[in-house]
Amino acid sequence: MKIGIVGGGWYGCHLGLVFKRCGCEVDVYEAEADVLQLASINNQARLHIGYHYPRCSVTRLQTVACFPRFMEAYPTFSKPIENNIYTVSKKDSLVDFRTYCQIMEASGLQFDYVNPADFGIAGVDGAISTQERLLDFDEARRTFKEKLGRSLHLNSRVTSVVDGPDGAQINGETYDTVINCTWCALKTGPQPENMFFEPTVLLYYEALQPFYGALTVMDGPCFSIYPYDEDRYSLSHVSFTARGQYKTFAEAQAFNDQVTEADLDVVRCNMTEKALKEFPAFKECFRYLGPQFSVKTKYSNACASRDTAVKKQGHVFSVFSGKIDTIFIAEDSILEQLGFKSETSKIALFPDLDMENEESELERRLQRAVG
Ligand SMILES: Cc1cc2nc3c(=O)[nH]c(=O)nc-3n(C[C@H](O)[C@H](O)[C@H](O)COP(=O)(O)OP(=O)(O)OC[C@H]3O[C@@H](n4cnc5c(N)ncnc54)[C@H](O)[C@@H]3O)c2cc1C
């Protein structure tokens, strides 16, 4: 079988490797000069396990299920964080600390209760130390390039995907199956109706004194301080990182291109003010380095869901990415629809569940747990 993949982000690279291992002929077309550009590295570098999504069960359970598979398939692509602290804001959170912890427990997630004061945190209901990890983009990029080898075509922008009775064509080359992994930047194949493109900004900081790990304040209009690489941390805030909603990727990117220093000063002021509320030593601990711009593709819905989904029309699949480790949701869906057996085994976290009704059964358990 001949598979053509558009986009060399996390999804395109992972699916490229999966299909190579299945014995297919694979071409991955990436417009940029390297893999893992755009959103695949311009993000918070958090390897999700589920702690981040108390209000959205599908996203939470997708990451709960995919995290162990990611660790198994890519053991060198992430690093532990010594103290990865999640805390629940007294004032701004949409769930209280007790409910938050019960949801995490009911989802099978482990954590240790810690004293917020030991981590310089104020104005919160309680805090936990989690096992969430830091993604290593350099290692992932190097490995993906090496393993994809000649299947990878860099500097290769796809301008047309045409479906036909016997296959689909990418820039005139025919494939049995084409997979659009551009996070909907390329408008081809089936796309979700209620989606939009969101320009984003995170702020990079250097630590002026040793920082204990990572701090995420839940849940709603709150901030995070997360390590990015050896030298940098990122600061983000739900209300100020998201910068608007646009119909096309190009419009969202154009917004980012026009951001001025004065705009950034306002964002920095707003984010710092919020960070100081729950982490009063922020200014003594961190020095501003510069912005990280990116574009997020999102569904418009109330629970802030970031589910991964796949749609198929004719010979073309479209992948709507959620989180990075949920690449396996896309893998399972596409392999199943093409009649392959999944490469990596599904981890049975809830072996007694009726999988047909997995979602509603888990919802019922969560309802019971949170009373
Ligand atoms: C601010 C921000 C923070 C985030 N934080 C996290 C986080 O901490 N953890 C997490 O798991 N997820 C996070 N995410 C989400 C994560 O970034 C995405 O889920 C992931 O990057 C999606 O990968 P992808 O391969 O689908 O898309 P992309 O990374 O967007 O890759 C698509 C690729 O397609 C290429 N392309 C586009 N058009 C064409 C074309 N016509 N021809 C050829 N190539 C083309 C692009 O150049 C790009 O390389 C965050 C996202 C943002 C924006």
Side-chain angles (χ1 to χ4, degrees), residues 5-13 29-32 34-48 53 63 135 137 153 156-160 171 180-186 198-202 226 236 241 249 292-297 306 308 319-327:
I5 296 176
V6 191
W10 280 94
Y11 279 73
C13 288
Y29 295 95
E30 168 53 50
E32 302 288 324
D34 206 342
V35 297
L36 304 194
Q37 301 295 298
L38 309 196
S40 279
I41 49 162
N42 293 313
N43 63 56
Q44 217 182 6
R46 195 188 286 269
L47 180 56
H48 283 276
Y53 292 99
T63 57
L135 285 157
F137 297 129
H153 308 281
S156 301
R157 180 167 293 279
V158 170
T159 50
S160 87
N171 291 353
N180 179 1
C181 290
T182 65
W183 212 6
C184 304
L186 180 67
E198 179 182 88
T200 61
V201 65
L202 301 187
Y226 213 78
S236 64
T241 288
F249 177 84
Q292 177 213 78
F293 294 110
S294 197
V295 174
K296 204 177 257 185
T297 315
R306 303 281 185 278
T308 290
V319 176
F320 192 95
S321 324
K323 299 282 100 186
I324 287 166
D325 54 1
T326 51
I327 44 181

Side-chain angles (χ1 to χ4, degrees), residues 81 83 119-121 203-217 223-236 268 271-276 278-290:
I81 296 174
N83 295 291
F119 296 94
I121 307 166
L203 304 179
Y204 287 129
Y205 284 80
E206 73 173 335
L208 296 171
Q209 46 185 276
F211 184 59
Y212 49 77
L215 172 61
T216 303
V217 182
F223 72 93
S224 307
I225 304 166
Y226 213 78
Y228 182 78
D229 55 22
E230 296 288 312
D231 309 315
R232 289 178 291 179
Y233 288 80
S234 70
L235 173 67
S236 64
R268 184 148 65 99
M271 281 203 204
T272 313
E273 192 188 315
K274 296 287 182 190
L276 285 168
E278 278 103 3
F279 188 62
F282 182 78
K283 280 189 178 163
E284 289 90 76
C285 288
F286 291 101
R287 190 175 73 86
Y288 177 63
L289 294 175

Side-chain angles (χ1 to χ4, degrees), residues 36 43 63 70 75 109 149 164 176 219 253 306 329:
L36 304 194
N43 63 56
T63 57
F70 188 93
L109 288 168
D176 299 304
D219 174 41
Q253 209 170 32
R306 303 281 185 278
I329 303 288

Side-chain angles (χ1 to χ4, degrees), residues 149-163:
R150 287 195 186 161
S151 293
L152 182 62
H153 308 281
L154 297 172
N155 295 308
S156 301
R157 180 167 293 279
V158 170
T159 50
S160 87
V161 174
V162 181
D163 200 11

